[in-house]
Amino acid sequence: MTALPLHPDPAPALTLPPLGFAARRSRVLGVVRRDFAALRRSPIRIFEILFWPTVELLLWGFVTLFLRTQRVPFVVAFLLGAVLLWQVLQKASNEISIAFLEDIWSRNLLNVQVSPLSSTEYLVGLVLFSLGKVVFAVAMMAGLAYALYGFGVTSLGVGLVPFMGVLLLLGWSLGLVGIAAVLRFGENAQVIAWSLVFVVQPLAGIFYPVSVLPAPLRAVSWFLPASHVFEGMRTVMAGGAVPWDRLAWAGALDVVYLALTLALYAWALGYARRHGKLSRFGD
Amino acid sequence: MAILEATRLAKRFGPVTAVHDVSITVAEGEVAALLGPNGAGKSTTLHMLLGLITPDAGTITLFGMELARHRVEALSRVNFAASYVDLPGPLLVQEVIDVFARFYAVRRPKERVAEMIELLELGPLRRRRLMDLSSGQRTRVQLAKALVNAPRLLVLDEPTANLDPDAGDRIRGLLSRVARDSGAAMLITSHNMREVERMCDRIHFLAEGRVVAAGSAAELAGHYGAEDLEGVFLKVARG
Ligand SMILES: Nc1ncnc2c1ncn2[C@@H]1O[C@H](COP(=O)(O)OP(=O)(O)OP(=O)(O)O)[C@@H](O)[C@H]1O
Ligand SMILES: [Mg+2]
């Protein structure tokens, strides 16, 4: 082995001041690079990003074609729009919990946890990368929906951006709950990470209007940011205006939920540290 | 100056007292060992020093900063490797080192990665995936990761546990040179007595969560009337 390229007092020269902006950016982008490299090296995962959205799109596309022959009005566009937006929610939720679980599966969690990466930086990194994947998957689906069924996402108009924003924030909150559950209850709680988003599905009026729900569930759905997105989507597609007041309410709910789930994550991490759980994953 | 000062650490897991009233000081440039039988509380102690486990009682000061309040600054100057952790399997060797260079906010990550690859003789493995490496090769990548920020304190939990005698010997030689040339302090656990004798300036003996003896290998041998560290270990472990 050759002469050691180690610096006598490396702290100032070799690394950036740890609390400065440049160091924070380095750490956040480190998370993004890590996830990107992992994805690039796992063809199966790339396949998966494309597989489920395509299957769902085909399924609901043919359902709508069938319904069209039955002369059910508007339904065609509703369902395809719903499938697209549902994918935003589901992906946002699952992608960030997968990124966390991958550290457990590869027994890398301790390396991450003893690094100077703060919880916030770690989560910002996960969110940035999941954003990239969601945008990619949705763009791909939108193209496919247009090619196969002549459905253009642009029919959602200016509402598309806030619709997606509300769903992304909700998805990240749900993903955080999944991560917190794993930190608190151990790896078996990963089923929570996968399935929580499906609890939202029947309540949020994705494929049907919220008005079909019984009154108590309708009340619950009022507190789900996603309901307002899917209701709003149907309004816009039926030729109405974007319901900004409902979207503002949904956005406010998102902010509250995100604050609560961040607090939950912080508590679960503290719990895991107090009970020595971080080194027990993967056993 | 003490790089690490841990005072009166305690940790219980339910009915088990893993660590009880442990105080350890590691000086600048010192290579220290935590020794003791299985379940003595070595890993628990190291994990508390790294912020992975919150102590029930006691304080931890790294580089004069309290760990609980200056986590990011303190951990920036520390690093860690252990036989029971791994690095992300799908990534290439050079990608893994690069990612950790960024986690530790290294100024010129590309150059530093090249230096680490050279130092640990990882050139031929540079573009191999971690999951395809042997455990000895993985240990070298872990050490590249552990040295990437030129830590002032390197914490190693049984670093040579998975290695054959030759690979273990090379890693020991490398670590000794790192300690000498960079002045980094090290805190090591090991069940290999000769390794500890060869590398460590100071040894803290743990048994049932307590420090029962501390000193250099020679001092301990003298104190216990034993021939070598193995003899000390057997006397201490068997009470
Ligand atoms: N997260 C945990 N939950 C419950 N008990 C724990 C936990 N971590 C450690 N213990 C217990 O605390 C004690 C000390 O364990 P520790 O891993 O620190 O020992 P060690 O000295 O590192 O042993 P070894 O040489 O086998 O690695 C053991 O009795 C162990 O069972
Ligand atoms: Mg141990």
Side-chain angles (χ1 to χ4, degrees):
Chain A
M1 295 186 200
T2 51
L4 299 177
L6 293 161
H7 307 244
D9 186 13
L14 187 78
T15 57
L16 297 159
L19 296 181
F21 174 76
R24 292 190 188 282
R25 186 182 55 195
S26 166
R27 294 193 290 262
V28 168
L29 293 181
V31 177
V32 175
R33 290 177 83 95
R34 193 265 315 255
D35 288 345
F36 182 71
L39 181 65
R40 204 153 69 105
R41 308 271 162 227
S42 319
I44 291 290
R45 293 278 311 284
I46 298 174
F47 169 75
E48 212 187 359
I49 291 187
L50 304 177
F51 180 77
W52 291 113
T54 309
V55 168
E56 293 219 13
L57 194 70
L58 287 176
L59 178 68
W60 291 99
F62 290 127
V63 170
T64 57
L65 287 187
F66 167 68
L67 291 176
R68 195 186 274 167
T69 64
Q70 307 295 304
R71 297 171 207 286
V72 183
F74 294 124
V75 132
V76 180
F78 284 173
L79 287 182
L80 287 173
V83 175
L84 268 165
L85 289 178
W86 161 248
Q87 286 294 320
V88 173
L89 180 62
Q90 198 199 342
K91 284 240 166 282
S93 161
N94 283 355
E95 293 298 343
I96 80 159
S97 28
I98 292 184
F100 174 79
L101 283 164
E102 272 185 349
D103 276 326
I104 292 181
W105 295 331
S106 62
R107 301 205 302 162
N108 183 45
L109 186 68
L110 293 198
N111 287 322
V112 174
Q113 289 287 337
V114 303
S115 81
L117 194 63
S118 73
S119 289
T120 315
E121 290 157 0
Y122 181 60
L123 293 176
V124 169
L126 296 192
V127 156
L128 281 180
F129 189 67
S130 82
L131 186 64
K133 275 202 280 194
V134 170
V135 167
F136 175 74
V138 166
M140 211 256 338
M141 277 180 80
L144 208 59
Y146 187 73
L148 294 177
Y149 310 111
F151 170 79
V153 269
T154 46
S155 61
L156 294 176
V158 285
L160 185 61
V161 172
F163 287 160
M164 283 183 59
V166 166
L167 293 175
L168 282 169
L169 287 177
L170 178 65
W172 292 331
S173 284
L174 293 172
L176 275 175
V177 174
I179 296 178
V182 172
L183 283 169
R184 171 60 185 80
F185 298 108
E187 267 167 284
N188 290 339
Q190 49 180 276
V191 290
I192 296 180
W194 307 135
S195 43
L196 202 57
V197 69
F198 290 98
V199 177
V200 172
Q201 198 174 27
L203 295 175
I206 295 171
F207 298 111
Y208 43 78
V210 170
S211 57
V212 306
L213 295 174
L217 289 185
R218 225 180 303 151
V220 174
S221 85
W222 185 255
F223 289 94
L224 276 177
S227 323
H228 305 287
V229 168
F230 289 100
E231 292 282 288
M233 176 201 76
R234 281 185 289 269
T235 307
V236 170
M237 286 184 158
V242 178
W244 292 106
D245 51 340
R246 292 189 73 163
L247 283 179
W249 165 246
L253 284 175
D254 266 341
V255 171
V256 171
Y257 293 154
L258 201 55
L260 288 175
T261 50
L262 280 170
L264 182 72
Y265 171 87
W267 174 82
L269 184 60
Y271 175 93
R273 284 182 181 148
R274 279 193 306 283
H275 291 84
K277 297 292 182 203
L278 293 178
S279 56
R280 287 296 177 271
F281 289 120
D283 288 354
Chain B
M1 187 195 84
I3 266 185
L4 163 70
E5 228 175 320
T7 330
R8 311 208 63 175
L9 294 180
K11 189 71 206 175
R12 292 175 61 110
F13 297 110
V16 179
T17 300
V19 171
H20 183 83
D21 203 12
V22 164
S23 298
I24 289 173
T25 304
V26 177
E28 179 124 41
E30 182 179 271
V31 179
L34 282 187
L35 233 57
N38 294 129
K42 304 179 295 294
S43 296
T44 304
T45 303
L46 293 188
H47 290 175
M48 288 194 281
L49 302 177
L50 292 162
L52 288 171
I53 294 179
T54 312
D56 294 339
T59 53
I60 297 164
T61 311
L62 283 161
F63 319 103
M65 298 176 281
E66 207 185 312
L67 174 63
R69 281 200 270 144
H70 299 275
R71 190 182 176 89
V72 173
E73 295 119 294
L75 292 181
S76 290
R77 302 164 77 179
V78 177
N79 215 319
F80 170 68
S83 52
Y84 48 81
V85 298
D86 242 321
L87 292 160
L91 268 62
L92 307 183
V93 168
Q94 61 185 26
E95 288 172 338
V96 168
I97 305 172
D98 179 78
V99 161
F100 280 93
R102 287 163 207 274
F103 283 1
Y104 285 88
V106 169
R107 272 180 209 273
R108 295 194 182 78
K110 292 264 176 309
E111 286 168 28
R112 188 62 183 166
V113 171
E115 286 174 358
M116 290 298 101
I117 284 177
E118 166 108 14
L119 175 65
L120 285 134
E121 296 179 338
L122 290 167
L125 304 176
R126 227 173 62 236
R127 301 195 47 80
R128 296 267 300 274
R129 295 189 304 177
L130 260 287
M131 60 169 79
D132 298 333
L133 302 184
S134 77
S135 52
Q137 293 168 331
R138 283 180 204 212
T139 303
R140 271 166 38 219
V141 182
Q142 272 207 44
L143 287 178
K145 171 260 163 190
L147 293 169
V148 78
N149 61 331
R152 306 309 295 149
L153 174 66
L154 186 56
V155 177
L156 302 169
D157 201 352
E158 303 188 34
T160 55
N162 296 326
L163 303 183
D164 71 50
D166 173 52
D169 189 63
R170 286 147 66 91
I171 294 296
R172 280 188 284 281
L174 173 83
L175 288 174
S176 294
R177 279 192 303 141
V178 168
R180 191 190 61 220
D181 295 359
S182 74
M186 297 188 189
L187 183 56
I188 297 177
T189 75
S190 172
H191 291 299
N192 179 335
M193 295 306 119
R194 281 205 277 154
E195 169 170 302
V196 174
E197 269 166 351
R198 174 175 154 191
M199 290 182 59
C200 299
D201 310 315
R202 193 172 164 81
I203 295 155
H204 304 262
F205 244 107
L206 255 68
E208 293 176 353
R210 290 159 205 267
V211 179
V212 292
S216 69
E219 284 165 6
L220 289 174
H223 185 265
Y224 284 92
E227 206 169 288
D228 53 17
L229 202 54
E230 183 148 345
V232 176
F233 189 103
L234 294 178
K235 286 198 174 173
V236 174
R238 293 171 185 174

